[in-house]
Amino acid sequence: MQLVNQCTKYRGLQGCPELGQILSVGANEVKGNVTTYNNVMDYYSTNPGPIDDSILKDQDKHVSAAVWEGQERGALRCHEHTSKLDRWLLTESQIELVKRAGFGYLRLIPAISLDNPLISALVERWRKETNTFHMTVGEMTITLEDVAYLLGLRINGEPVIGVTYTTCDSVCIKYLGKAPDSGYTSGGMVKLSWLKEAFSVCPEDASIEDVERHTRAYLLYLVGSTIFSTTTGNKVPVMYLPLFENFDEAGKYAWGAAALSFLYRALGNASLRSQSTISGCLTLLQVNLNYKLQRLCRSFLQCWSYYRLNVGRPKLHHNPIHECFPFVLRWKGKQNGPTSNRDVVFYRKALDSLKATDVDWCPYANISHTIIPESILNQLILGRSKTMLICFDKAERHLPDRCLRQFGIHQMVPEEVQHWERKTRGVDGGVDLSGKMEAEINEWENRRFHIVEAEEGIDEGQYVNWYSRITRRLVGRPIPISSEFQRMNAALRDIAHVADTLSTHGMDDLQIQAVTRIRYIAHECLRDHAGTSTVSLDNSESEAVKKIRGKERVRRRGTSKRRRKDDPEEFYASGMHIQVYNVPNEVDHEQHLCLTRNPGHGVMENNGTTEADQHEVEEVDEDHLSHGSEENPCESLTNVGVVEQASLGTSEDVTHQNDFSVTA
């Protein structure tokens, strides 16, 4: 929904610093228009930020910008393959090899009941510029310490990097003893189903070589369905296989750091608004990619949230005193707690109103360390390392200095985020990424020299003031978009009236030019509104969109049927006809130039897809995408009806209107 875009030209007045001066000059002449100033102030009071865009430079590309414009995308989806891990019948010798490779704890993690709306609301607050969640109380993130505690993966060691492949045959024959048929491969990826069919049962009389091959296949399936799950959900790159050639050497890799890098990249991709809302042309592939997040990433993120935030946290079935490692096991299975009526909007509002008392900054402080393996305890200091995390071509910055309170340290204003290039995998087979990622590897190797330490005499008030200016304060609108549009329209009329009636007597040339500029901008916006007198939103949805939202609606148990006008998010999402009132043209067209705009341009909604299209999209991996330009000339238009309406009065009239002024 892009109704807000119909009045974005009003923001052009922000670039006119003379506005305040002109309004004050004309105050004595138009005393009855005090509401003009109030409307302008109301606009800024509902501006969600950032006020200072030096940090969040990609706000226009972020999903929160789309949500603010009324474009709901629903809950994220995922593919499920972890539940099939228990179909692998591992022998004792295989289990020992898995432990030596560093995945003894990861294989124990069961399926966890997912709260997709909660995860989706968290993704809306993730910022790829800082690799942190921008909460109302400050920045938070998933750190290397969290990975060690929750997943039991090694966070210290060699970077997970190696050679890329564009075909599977040679590498599979070398490390697995056989190659899959062409139907099971796609470029340098192999289907998980082939690995399970060919290697899930190791013969009792298997040779040591065959045992190792079956174990490598299991490890490839394990990482491909959990920490390194692709957006296709059913394939895994074979480039990880050579890292399992020697199981003891495999255990020396920093798998936890690689998993966190992979998660950061996935969160960053999922936090982007769809390509359609940027360019105006629906890109089905991009939309589907942004909606997906691998299951273990979701489980890990959800458990991290349960430990840190009192939002959607369920009641435990057991006493936390009887903890077992890794700590993600605390939340295994289904938990008690009402979740049937909780959708993305519910959690979005909860995070928008998050208080300091809802945050547990140090959730592991009271957990006995006697159950934590010594090998994990010795690595925890790296949880405060400001370094680069590496997983082949995915290099992401770990910035604990932005979240010091998670380590029990007073938060200071963090250093400026150093720019880094998000590289993509080489398209040629046999490419060793170690040379391509030399700078990132050097930064990782120096990680122990960049441990963030506490500083004395820190005044967190300075941080709070700084953070309030650089962050995105709100994701959801506190005022419904229809009401805000009407108020903005009335404010424009007030401004236009002030500019039209203001006497220029005694003004110099610059001031007269400023008045003319204000008058032109205001009337130009009003003409745009008159051109789209009434924008009607079609209440119908494509079958594909209905299918996407179906699961979430089922969980609400019919609550969506009762839309309340006092709940802007719920009411707005239900589908309605919004009126944009006609404004008479009071501008001399020979005196003022008219800006060209597309006739009939109205509200854009996500186009539907057929079931076949959905299936095809799920077979595509993000590494094989070619991202198009953001300046796509194509536009997606929905059914837009223009109906002439009586004009609205000034902002004083609007205050007496129903905030929703809608037609059924």
Side-chain angles (χ1 to χ4, degrees), residues 229-274:
S229 175
T230 65
T231 52
T232 66
N234 63 351
K235 300 186 187 74
V236 58
V238 296
M239 62 187 183
Y240 300 109
L241 264 179
L243 304 182
F244 303 135
E245 180 178 12
N246 184 296
F247 296 97
D248 291 322
E249 292 298 318
K252 297 178 181 179
Y253 286 104
W255 294 107
L260 190 55
S261 176
F262 204 95
L263 175 59
Y264 280 1
R265 183 66 63 89
L267 287 172
N269 291 337
S271 68
L272 294 177
R273 65 192 298 176
S274 66

Side-chain angles (χ1 to χ4, degrees), residues 451-552:
I451 305 294
V452 179
E453 303 290 349
E455 293 189 13
E456 299 294 335
I458 296 298
D459 179 14
E460 288 198 348
Q462 183 180 1
Y463 167 78
V464 172
N465 292 334
W466 170 84
Y467 181 71
S468 65
R469 295 185 59 82
I470 63 94
T471 191
R472 178 78 169 188
R473 294 187 296 275
L474 299 174
V475 175
R477 278 182 175 267
I479 301 175
I481 197 170
S482 57
S483 175
E484 185 170 326
F485 182 88
Q486 293 179 25
R487 298 197 325 170
M488 185 178 293
N489 189 58
L492 279 170
R493 291 178 59 81
D494 282 343
I495 292 173
H497 179 70
V498 172
D500 289 341
T501 60
L502 184 63
S503 173
T504 58
H505 180 70
M507 291 187 182
D508 57 28
D509 291 342
L510 290 178
Q511 290 174 324
I512 294 175
Q513 290 177 10
V515 173
T516 304
R517 180 185 175 194
I518 293 171
R519 181 185 298 122
Y520 168 73
I521 295 175
H523 282 293
E524 187 64 29
C525 292
L526 291 173
R527 277 203 304 276
D528 283 346
H529 297 180
T532 54
S533 304
T534 299
V535 180
S536 299
L537 301 183
D538 198 327
N539 198 26
S540 62
E541 287 183 315
S542 66
E543 290 299 318
V545 175
K546 289 180 179 178
K547 185 180 296 185
I548 291 172
R549 300 174 181 172
K551 292 184 180 180
E552 192 173 351

Side-chain angles (χ1 to χ4, degrees), residues 205-218:
D205 58 348
S207 63
I208 296 177
E209 186 178 20
D210 282 341
V211 171
E212 291 181 345
R213 287 171 174 171
H214 280 72
T215 306
R216 291 191 193 103
Y218 171 77

Side-chain angles (χ1 to χ4, degrees), residues 363-421:
Y364 315 117
N366 297 324
I367 297 178
S368 174
H369 283 192
T370 57
I371 63 173
I372 303 175
E374 186 175 352
S375 59
I376 297 294
L377 284 174
N378 294 337
Q379 301 175 20
L380 289 178
I381 186 63
L382 291 176
R384 301 206 314 264
S385 176
K386 188 176 179 181
T387 186
M388 188 70 74
L389 308 175
I390 300 172
C391 179
F392 278 83
D393 59 317
K394 296 174 177 62
E396 295 286 342
R397 288 207 178 279
H398 184 246
L399 301 171
D401 62 314
R402 309 189 71 87
C403 311
L404 292 177
R405 285 176 287 185
Q406 292 183 209
F407 303 97
I409 301 174
H410 289 296
Q411 182 64 55
M412 56 185 174
V413 176
E415 297 178 358
E416 183 178 352
V417 180
Q418 184 179 350
H419 174 74
W420 77 97
E421 180 184 358

Side-chain angles (χ1 to χ4, degrees), residues 87-319:
R87 300 182 187 178
W88 287 73
L89 304 178
L90 301 182
T91 64
E92 291 297 326
S93 57
Q94 282 185 287
I95 294 175
E96 180 60 29
L97 291 177
V98 171
K99 291 179 180 179
R100 286 164 55 185
F103 297 96
Y105 293 110
L106 185 66
R107 79 174 191 88
L108 299 176
I109 297 176
I112 294 175
S113 179
L114 292 179
D115 190 344
N116 287 327
L118 170 61
I119 297 167
S120 302
L122 288 170
V123 169
E124 291 177 352
R125 286 193 166 272
W126 179 263
R127 304 307 301 231
K128 63 186 300 185
E129 300 96 329
T130 58
N131 279 345
T132 59
F133 297 103
H134 275 237
M135 303 294 189
T136 58
V137 295
E139 289 181 75
M140 303 182 70
T141 196
I142 307 165
T143 67
L144 287 171
E145 181 185 65
D146 293 308
V147 176
Y149 277 128
L150 296 179
L151 299 182
L153 288 173
R154 184 181 177 89
I155 61 173
N156 187 30
E158 298 297 319
V160 175
I161 198 167
V163 179
T164 62
Y165 295 89
T166 55
T167 59
C168 298
D169 290 358
S170 60
V171 67
C172 286
I173 291 175
K174 180 176 181 180
Y175 298 105
L176 301 180
K178 64 177 69 174
D181 295 335
S182 58
Y184 287 102
T185 64
S186 175
M189 297 191 296
V190 63
K191 284 190 175 181
L192 295 173
S193 58
W194 177 76
L195 293 172
K196 182 171 61 66
E197 292 169 7
F199 299 98
S200 59
V201 179
C202 184
E204 294 182 0
D205 58 348
S207 63
I208 296 177
E209 186 178 20
D210 282 341
V211 171
E212 291 181 345
R213 287 171 174 171
H214 280 72
T215 306
R216 291 191 193 103
Y218 171 77
L219 290 173
L220 186 61
Y221 188 101
L222 178 65
V223 300
S225 60
T226 56
I227 57 176
F228 302 140
S229 175
T230 65
T231 52
T232 66
N234 63 351
K235 300 186 187 74
V236 58
V238 296
M239 62 187 183
Y240 300 109
L241 264 179
L243 304 182
F244 303 135
E245 180 178 12
N246 184 296
F247 296 97
D248 291 322
E249 292 298 318
K252 297 178 181 179
Y253 286 104
W255 294 107
L260 190 55
S261 176
F262 204 95
L263 175 59
Y264 280 1
R265 183 66 63 89
L267 287 172
N269 291 337
S271 68
L272 294 177
R273 65 192 298 176
S274 66
Q275 185 71 18
S276 64
T277 60
I278 296 175
S279 66
C281 180
L282 182 65
T283 303
L284 172 64
L285 189 59
Q286 184 68 28
V287 171
N288 276 272
L289 286 177
N290 285 348
Y291 280 17
K292 295 182 199 173
L293 201 61
Q294 50 266 41
R295 183 174 181 91
L296 188 76
C297 285
R298 288 178 175 225
S299 301
F300 180 37
L301 174 56
Q302 182 170 305
C303 292
W304 175 89
S305 176
Y306 286 168
Y307 269 101
R308 300 277 183 182
L309 306 175
N310 187 23
V311 175
R313 181 187 294 164
K315 296 179 181 179
L316 292 171
H317 285 314
H318 61 279
N319 192 328

